[in-house]
Amino acid sequence: MAVSLPDGATIAIATTYGSVKTVTAITNANPGVITSAAHGLLNGAFYELKSGWQKISDRVFKASNVATNALDVTGIDTTDTNRFAAGTGVGSLREITAWTQIPQILEFTTSGGDQQFANFSFLEEDYERQLPTVTSAQSIQIGIGDDPSLPGYQALKAAGEARAIRALKVTLPNGAVLLYNGFVSFNETPTLTKGSVMQVRATISLQGRPTRY
């Protein structure tokens, strides 16, 4: 059993990406192994993956076991061919080559991600049953101390104006890393509450499950 505080965590947004590399195959293995000719990534690099396997598509991963034309989908078990149909995981990847830290964060909260259910009842029954369906859409809300001169502020503003999908990296005090990927929206109007720090708010609407290392 262990608990920890988030104090000291840092958050950064991806601001530069490498060129798109074709993924010609992903194996059914633990972890899955990507084939991508001359992908150029090094061990420890972060990359965004798009795949025919929707369960891993539009997510961000950390490169490991890197070879010239291959690398692992670190932490992802793709052995189940019912969930990951053989030969259909092809797609593309692109390396995240630069991050910009978002300083002065006052709040970091999430919403959504709750399991949804389909309710049903047989004719002869006087009670309902449930089957799990999907989880609800998930988003992250970040409250930031208002300062338009900061590079992190400008990076969020640019991503919001472009309506772009951007990766978000949270580095916890113990060195663990959380990776998110989603559309960025940014509200530049600061809160104006007497006696409270003015803050602006960014929202990241996630396009896939987070990844944790």
Side-chain angles (χ1 to χ4, degrees), residues 90-107:
V90 298
S92 64
L93 62 80
R94 58 175 181 163
E95 182 182 2
I96 299 167
T97 56
W99 301 86
T100 298
Q101 184 177 342
I102 305 168
Q104 300 191 174
I105 291 176
L106 299 168
E107 296 177 6

Side-chain angles (χ1 to χ4, degrees), residues 65-80:
N65 198 27
V66 169
T68 302
N69 301 312
L71 68 155
D72 287 354
V73 189
T74 310
I76 301 297
D77 183 350
T78 60
T79 55
D80 187 349

Side-chain angles (χ1 to χ4, degrees), residues 60-162:
V60 179
F61 298 100
K62 185 178 182 179
S64 66
N65 198 27
V66 169
T68 302
N69 301 312
L71 68 155
D72 287 354
V73 189
T74 310
I76 301 297
D77 183 350
T78 60
T79 55
D80 187 349
T81 55
N82 291 318
R83 299 174 66 221
F84 302 97
T88 62
V90 298
S92 64
L93 62 80
R94 58 175 181 163
E95 182 182 2
I96 299 167
T97 56
W99 301 86
T100 298
Q101 184 177 342
I102 305 168
Q104 300 191 174
I105 291 176
L106 299 168
E107 296 177 6
F108 185 96
T109 58
T110 65
S111 61
D114 302 316
Q115 181 65 57
Q116 306 295 296
F117 298 91
N119 294 344
F120 69 97
S121 178
F122 297 122
L123 183 63
E124 64 270 26
E125 295 177 331
D126 59 359
Y127 57 89
E128 282 191 328
R129 304 170 187 257
Q130 286 188 323
L131 286 176
T133 54
V134 298
T135 55
S136 60
Q138 188 174 1
S139 64
I140 295 169
Q141 296 77 41
I142 306 174
I144 305 157
D146 182 44
D147 184 350
S149 69
L150 295 174
Y153 182 110
Q154 293 301 320
L156 288 167
K157 178 181 177 180
E161 290 176 348

